[in-house]
Amino acid sequence: MGLLTREFETHPCEVEVSHCFDSLHAHVKFLDGTTINPGDEVQVKGPPVMAPYGEVVREERVARITRASKLEQLWTRMTGDFEFMELCEFSFSEEVKL
């Protein structure tokens, strides 16, 4: 992997989709132990995994990983904390005294 070049990899994975009262989530687990680094992109191939209400569905798929270049990894690490703040919601209100 170079300073400005990206690499592409294909790995087997398991997709778990839960649509229950207690949990609504979708997770991807790589079956060969592959790890994802900052800035990497993952695209799971195949049709969408749909889980009816009250069920958890697990399917084996293939995922295509686009590895970030060294420069992209560095940029993601440097700016990641700032982008996290976009997820936060702040409310400032004054107490009105009559």
Side-chain angles (χ1 to χ4, degrees), residues 14-19 27 49-52 55-59:
E14 179 183 78
V15 178
E16 176 183 289
V17 177
S18 173
H19 189 190
H27 295 285
V49 179
M50 303 299 288
E55 293 186 20
V56 177
V57 176
R58 290 180 185 87
E59 292 186 12

Side-chain angles (χ1 to χ4, degrees), residues 9 11 28-30 33-43 63-68 73 77:
E9 302 174 1
H11 297 277
V28 175
K29 176 183 174 183
F30 292 101
T34 299
T35 58
I36 301 300
N37 300 315
D40 290 349
E41 298 175 15
V42 177
Q43 182 180 21
R64 181 177 190 245
I65 301 173
T66 304
R67 297 287 183 186
Q73 285 183 6
R77 286 189 178 125

Side-chain angles (χ1 to χ4, degrees), residues 3-97:
L3 182 64
L4 298 173
T5 58
R6 291 181 164 191
E7 293 181 0
F8 302 96
E9 302 174 1
T10 304
H11 297 277
C13 66
E14 179 183 78
V15 178
E16 176 183 289
V17 177
S18 173
H19 189 190
C20 300
F21 177 77
D22 296 336
S23 178
L24 178 63
H25 69 261
H27 295 285
V28 175
K29 176 183 174 183
F30 292 101
L31 301 176
D32 60 358
T34 299
T35 58
I36 301 300
N37 300 315
D40 290 349
E41 298 175 15
V42 177
Q43 182 180 21
V44 178
K45 300 295 184 180
V49 179
M50 303 299 288
Y53 183 75
E55 293 186 20
V56 177
V57 176
R58 290 180 185 87
E59 292 186 12
E60 288 192 13
R61 297 285 177 92
V62 173
R64 181 177 190 245
I65 301 173
T66 304
R67 297 287 183 186
S69 66
K70 293 291 184 188
L71 187 60
E72 288 173 319
Q73 285 183 6
L74 178 64
W75 179 254
T76 302
R77 286 189 178 125
M78 288 173 37
T79 62
D81 292 336
F82 299 118
E83 291 178 11
F84 170 75
M85 297 305 290
E86 292 177 9
L87 300 175
C88 298
E89 182 177 329
F90 297 97
S91 174
F92 300 97
S93 59
E94 292 183 22
E95 185 176 317
V96 178
K97 296 181 181 179

